Amino acid sequence: MTSHPAARAPQQDRSRATRARLLAAAVDCLAELGWHGSTVTVVAERAGVSRGAAQHHFPTREDLFTAAVEHVTAERLAAVRAHADDLPAAGPARTEAVVDMIVRLYTDPLFRAALHLWTAAATEESLRDRIVALEGRVGREAHRAAVEFLDADESRPGVRESVQATLDLARGLGLADLLTDDSARRSRVIRQWAGVLESTLRPERP
């Protein structure tokens, strides 16, 4: 006897909910405990599921944590895009708002979790290729979003490099914030860099 599609729907919903809990728990564990403290068992316990259920969705530890960072990164970028309509009109205020938005992507718990994966990938072959590919996709999407929000014309000399420098600056500010609260200095840096970026995006015409 075959199952009716309607009967399968609740099971599929439960499976999706379990997967979502595991992904969220994996990011939380990475951010709080680091790579070595974040075992599949620890994540499963935090998600409220069995280790077997966790391994059903993610056969290996590497599968779980790379999927978790990729999933939450996609959600964060989608949330950023959802608030794009709230940005000021084109000009210095918008540029500063966009730079601040990008920096916030790199100063939240997700960045801390991703950093633990990067560090582990530096010495663990099983992770390295996955993380390099993941960071490539995330970097391209972040760059694309920045260009869109800034209304940047990358055919102009120096514009593409300046947009990339904004992303690199955001990562650096995220690193500076890991051990101490760097918010006061970060605000001044954001304001200064936004002015430099605006002058590159829209130089005054004679």
Side-chain angles (χ1 to χ4, degrees), residues 2-176:
T2 59
S3 299
H4 192 277
R8 291 198 298 269
Q11 181 178 352
Q12 292 171 347
D13 290 342
R14 287 194 298 272
S15 179
R16 283 192 290 267
T18 297
R19 179 183 172 87
R21 289 202 306 274
L22 284 165
L23 294 173
V27 169
D28 289 344
C29 285
L30 267 180
E32 295 172 20
L33 306 174
W35 172 252
H36 293 293
S38 298
T39 64
V40 174
T41 299
V42 169
V43 172
E45 288 176 354
R46 181 168 296 203
V49 304
S50 69
R51 179 185 172 89
Q55 290 183 313
H56 170 74
H57 287 277
F58 305 101
T60 70
R61 187 185 184 202
E62 291 78 12
D63 290 336
L64 171 60
F65 288 105
T66 53
V69 171
E70 182 170 24
H71 170 74
V72 179
T73 299
E75 285 195 334
R76 295 282 287 116
L77 287 170
V80 166
R81 286 188 174 280
H83 289 89
D85 291 341
D86 299 331
L87 290 168
R94 183 184 182 94
T95 298
E96 184 172 339
V98 172
V99 173
D100 181 68
M101 179 185 292
I102 293 169
V103 169
R104 280 189 276 116
L105 283 174
Y106 292 93
T107 52
D108 66 5
L110 174 60
F111 177 72
R112 188 181 296 268
L115 185 61
H116 284 298
L117 272 188
W118 297 347
T119 303
T123 56
E124 299 203 19
E125 288 287 342
S126 59
L127 269 178
R128 186 174 303 145
D129 289 346
R130 292 168 180 253
I131 299 308
V132 168
L134 172 59
E135 284 306 305
R137 290 196 300 274
V138 170
R140 287 190 295 273
E141 181 59 28
H143 188 101
R144 188 178 302 115
V147 168
E148 177 185 332
F149 297 155
L150 291 166
D151 191 24
D153 180 1
E154 291 195 299
S155 68
R156 294 180 56 85
V159 170
R160 180 174 181 79
E161 293 78 8
S162 295
V163 173
Q164 186 58 52
T166 302
L167 297 172
D168 293 341
L169 172 72
R171 290 190 189 92
L173 291 174
L175 285 171

